[in-house]
Amino acid sequence: MQQSNLYILIFSVALTVVLGGLLSIAAVGLKPLQTKAVELDTKKQILSSVMEITSEMDVIGTFNTRTKSVAVNVEGELVEKDDEGATIVPEKINIEKESKKDSENKVLPVYLYMNEKDTTKVEAYIFAMFGTGLWDKIWGYVAVAPDLTTIKGISMDHKAETPGLGARITDKEVKDRYKGKQLFDSNGYLVGIEMKKGERGDSSLFDEHEVDGMSGATLTANGVNEMLLKYIGFYQAYIDKVKAGETVALN
Amino acid sequence: MSTETVEQQEVQEVEVKETESLLSKRRRKIMSDPLNDDNPITIQVLGICSALAVTVKMMPTLVMALAVIFVIVFSNLIISILRNVIPNRVRIIVQLAVVASLVILVDQVLRAYMYDVAKVVGVYVGLIITNCIIMGRLEAFAMGNKPWDSFLDGLGSGFGYSWIILAVAFFRELFGSGSIFDFKVFEAIGWTSYQANGLMVSPIGAFIILGLIIWVQRYKNGYVEH
């Protein structure tokens, strides 16, 4: 009797319902915590382009008090509503999705890192980036000083770069190589910053548009170079407007 | 179960005395065998893929080990409790469903509470479902033994798997990144010029270390492949 088709059917249905129910409860119950974890992770990454993140730091609190955010399009105009008329929250913009859109439809976040004492003074503009490394996607944030050409810091992350080689883009030592480098030349043309092939270990060998490479990870470095140049390009209209002294309204 | 018991010849049925203590000699053997003489990785050579993939650093490896222990212990327990009502013809699917549910549960919890680690081990946690060790224990042990024995068997196999991948990860992180649990060991003892070994970071490094562990263990145990 136990092996009849009906028994098997009933058993399978019951098992599916029980297991499915348990998983649904778990998924729904853990959802708020997971959303929070993702939010914390994003804000940690944004902030890590301008400061050291320590484990005991109040990341969300610091982010909320020190940064303001706006969303801009490639024309450099502020965007407040999306196509459906809903208000855009810059922190919630999915850069990966935006990277697939045509450039005129792109909406990208800008985070303004404000001075600790004078909260009307911008200390750094933080731009988002997204690109491809050797194996899979890479992304990051680049913080630019108020002169809008000097790099204050950079934070990068990756999905599947080779540990010890391309994955070193998350190392402090590699990220620090970008500090003080220039995005634009003295005539105001966008040059970008090129991570060179090979690793020479001597920062004095490189000019203000170059950084030392990562040994064995030239293809990841190429991806980083391309990502940086492309995304600063998308932000260029906004950068030009800020440079020209146009008041960029803040919410 | 009358006509289809033939399929279950491999099941290790053991006569159990009514008054057996919770940790009798036989039960301790169930638990200790997989740690050494019947280790799932080094002797049965199961679960190699994950042993290569997640062992670059200690921290993700530890999480992976705990996840596997959790899944194997509870799937063993659940399947063992249900063993007399599971229809024989669909038993593999039932086992798979239980294992998959537990794995998804682990993944969800990791995403909620340990997002940093989940980002690293995410893919491999999903692959626990296909870890041969777990399906192997369910089919070979839990389907034919009582819940408590199966629970202990799960613990044994889980720890057997864990100590091997932790040992591999220890050497890979030490030589590949010069650290243990991200603590820079060589810098701490004053050897700042240590050149990290790229081979240890790639899966090949895991193959070599695993091979060495198997060699040493089989030399000591005198185990020969038949």
Side-chain angles (χ1 to χ4, degrees):
Chain A
M1 185 56 204
Q2 206 193 79
Q3 300 293 323
S4 76
N5 286 345
L6 184 67
Y7 176 82
I8 293 177
L9 208 64
I10 294 172
F11 185 89
S12 308
V13 170
L15 186 80
T16 313
V17 169
V18 170
L19 292 178
L22 277 176
L23 288 183
S24 317
I25 293 170
V28 172
L30 292 171
K31 188 85 200 158
L33 277 169
Q34 291 172 354
T35 322
K36 245 191 194 154
V38 174
E39 186 195 342
L40 178 69
D41 191 64
T42 313
K43 293 187 169 168
K44 224 187 239 174
Q45 262 186 45
I46 297 170
L47 279 184
S48 71
S49 65
V50 282
M51 59 169 75
E52 275 303 304
I53 303 281
T54 51
S55 52
E56 61 270 16
M57 210 173 105
D58 172 21
V59 173
I60 304 270
T62 314
F63 186 89
N64 291 344
T65 51
R66 293 297 296 278
T67 66
K68 292 176 178 173
S69 55
V70 290
V72 297
N73 60 18
V74 287
E75 308 292 332
E77 293 153 347
L78 294 188
V79 189
E80 275 166 12
K81 308 256 184 221
D82 64 12
D83 299 338
E84 281 128 39
T87 309
I88 293 177
V89 182
E91 285 84 354
K92 297 231 166 101
I93 291 175
N94 185 332
I95 321 273
E96 184 174 5
K97 270 189 197 149
E98 296 299 325
S99 74
K100 288 176 186 138
K101 290 186 188 166
D102 294 335
S103 43
E104 61 263 30
N105 295 328
K106 275 191 180 33
V107 176
L108 298 167
V110 179
Y111 302 99
L112 303 145
Y113 183 66
M114 311 308 276
N115 191 290
E116 197 160 11
K117 294 187 186 90
D118 180 2
T119 50
T120 55
K121 252 172 81 185
V122 180
E123 217 169 274
Y125 294 85
I126 305 174
F127 303 113
M129 315 182 278
F130 184 90
T132 34
L134 171 60
W135 302 115
D136 210 321
K137 57 192 183 188
I138 53 175
W139 61 93
Y141 296 91
V142 51
V144 184
D147 66 4
L148 285 160
T149 176
T150 311
I151 303 273
K152 265 191 90 107
I154 197 164
S155 76
M156 288 187 275
D157 209 349
H158 64 96
K159 190 172 174 204
E161 297 310 295
T162 319
L165 301 175
R168 285 176 59 208
I169 56 172
T170 59
D171 286 0
K172 188 175 178 302
E173 181 226 340
V174 172
K175 291 187 289 190
D176 281 351
R177 294 176 189 172
Y178 281 88
K179 280 187 184 161
K181 299 286 174 180
Q182 304 289 317
L183 286 171
F184 296 90
D185 68 10
S186 50
N187 299 321
Y189 287 112
L190 174 60
V191 183
I193 294 155
E194 191 193 352
M195 185 177 267
K196 299 299 240 185
K197 186 180 160 75
E199 189 152 7
R200 303 171 69 180
D202 181 1
S203 59
S204 65
L205 293 167
F206 301 95
D207 70 17
E208 58 194 22
H209 299 296
E210 294 170 344
V211 289
D212 199 0
M214 298 176 293
S215 176
T218 306
L219 291 178
T220 304
N222 289 348
V224 171
N225 295 341
E226 196 185 311
M227 165 171 89
L228 185 69
L229 196 60
K230 196 161 121 192
Y231 271 78
I232 295 301
F234 291 143
Y235 282 112
Q236 193 166 8
Y238 172 81
I239 292 174
D240 288 343
K241 280 191 177 176
V242 178
K243 270 185 186 165
E246 271 182 54
T247 43
V248 184
L250 292 176
N251 310 330
Chain B
M1 296 267 242
S2 55
T3 54
E4 284 174 318
T5 39
V6 193
E7 287 177 23
Q8 293 191 8
Q9 273 175 345
E10 298 158 41
V11 169
Q12 312 161 2
E13 280 281 4
V14 189
E15 285 296 318
V16 183
K17 274 179 263 159
E18 282 302 313
T19 53
E20 194 177 356
S21 77
L22 279 181
L23 284 171
S24 64
K25 201 174 171 215
R26 182 186 67 82
R27 286 182 162 140
R28 282 203 305 272
K29 200 167 151 47
I30 291 178
M31 241 193 340
S32 63
D33 259 2
L35 293 180
N36 191 1
D37 287 342
D38 196 20
N39 190 281
I41 295 186
T42 57
I43 305 291
Q44 301 171 28
V45 198
L46 296 174
I48 294 290
C49 324
S50 57
L52 303 182
V54 295
T55 51
V56 176
K57 292 210 160 163
M58 289 292 279
M59 188 60 200
T61 311
L62 182 67
V63 173
M64 182 73 180
L66 293 175
V68 169
I69 292 173
F70 171 82
V71 172
I72 198 169
V73 164
F74 284 96
S75 57
N76 249 3
L77 183 66
I78 292 169
I79 292 295
S80 176
I81 290 170
L82 295 175
R83 71 188 187 285
N84 292 327
V85 293
I86 294 175
N88 213 354
R89 271 180 283 169
V90 293
R91 68 181 191 284
I92 301 282
I93 299 175
V94 172
Q95 291 164 9
L96 205 57
V98 170
V99 174
S101 304
L102 289 168
V103 168
I104 295 171
L105 207 59
V106 169
D107 191 41
Q108 294 283 329
V109 169
L110 279 184
R111 270 168 213 269
Y113 292 99
M114 301 180 77
Y115 188 74
D116 287 344
V117 181
K119 277 200 296 187
V120 180
V121 295
V123 189
Y124 304 111
V125 168
L127 287 177
I128 296 177
I129 298 172
T130 56
N131 193 319
C132 320
I133 298 171
I134 295 174
M135 291 295 285
R137 289 332 288 165
L138 294 181
E139 184 65 7
F141 198 93
M143 284 300 286
N145 285 284
K146 291 193 169 164
W148 177 241
D149 288 356
S150 303
F151 183 87
L152 294 176
D153 177 73
L155 273 184
S157 292
F159 279 110
Y161 170 85
S162 301
W163 86 257
I164 297 286
I165 63 168
L166 282 169
V168 174
F170 176 83
F171 290 111
R172 283 184 80 185
E173 185 173 354
L174 183 66
F175 296 122
S177 314
S179 59
I180 295 296
F181 282 109
D182 283 329
F183 174 75
K184 298 277 181 198
V185 178
F186 290 124
E187 279 175 27
I189 58 170
W191 186 10
T192 48
S193 62
Y194 175 73
Q195 183 67 43
N197 183 340
L199 186 70
M200 283 297 143
V201 178
S202 70
I204 302 161
F207 256 125
I208 294 171
I209 291 172
L210 204 54
L212 290 173
I213 292 178
I214 292 179
W215 181 19
V216 170
Q217 196 192 23
R218 291 190 178 183
Y219 179 76
K220 277 182 72 182
N221 294 3
Y223 174 85
V224 182
E225 199 94 40
H226 294 294

